[in-house]
Amino acid sequence: MKWVDIKQRYPDQFILLGNLVEEHISLHRYKILGGEVLKVSNDAKEIRTEYQKYNSQGKDVLYSLPSTTEEFIVENIPFKGIFK
């Protein structure tokens, strides 16, 4: 399903997506064009729990915040540092 259609169908909700269709914009940025809706909720904890469940199974999932617009841009920021 296209992201624009998903956002229109589930406005102002947390949306968990799988089978992502993405377009790379740059090395660390990409645009979500669509995907499969796995879970929709008004509860952030519920979406986070479902995200962790799918992620622990090695599945590539992503969730959007209620404030995410029709243009869903994701930026992966490389982290450098020392953990203590």
Side-chain angles (χ1 to χ4, degrees):
M1 181 179 255
K2 292 182 181 179
W3 171 247
V4 175
D5 297 333
I6 294 168
K7 188 62 182 172
Q8 285 178 352
R9 184 176 286 182
Y10 307 107
D12 303 320
Q13 296 187 57
F14 293 93
I15 306 166
L16 181 66
L17 297 171
N19 296 322
L20 301 169
V21 178
E22 49 195 49
E23 174 186 319
H24 287 271
I25 298 171
S26 68
L27 183 61
H28 299 289
R29 294 181 72 199
Y30 55 96
K31 181 177 182 178
I32 302 300
L33 302 176
E36 176 185 353
V37 176
L38 302 173
K39 181 82 173 174
V40 176
S41 178
N42 291 318
D43 183 1
K45 285 186 177 183
E46 182 180 19
I47 285 294
R48 181 73 178 155
T49 300
E50 286 293 310
Y51 169 82
Q52 290 172 334
K53 182 180 85 173
Y54 281 98
N55 205 21
S56 70
Q57 296 171 359
K59 296 183 180 175
D60 189 23
V61 293
L62 184 69
Y63 65 90
S64 71
L65 304 176
S67 61
T68 305
T69 64
E70 282 78 19
E71 188 169 67
F72 190 173
I73 304 291
V74 178
E75 185 169 358
N76 287 331
I77 301 171
F79 181 79
K80 293 182 181 179
I82 299 172
F83 289 108
K84 291 186 176 191

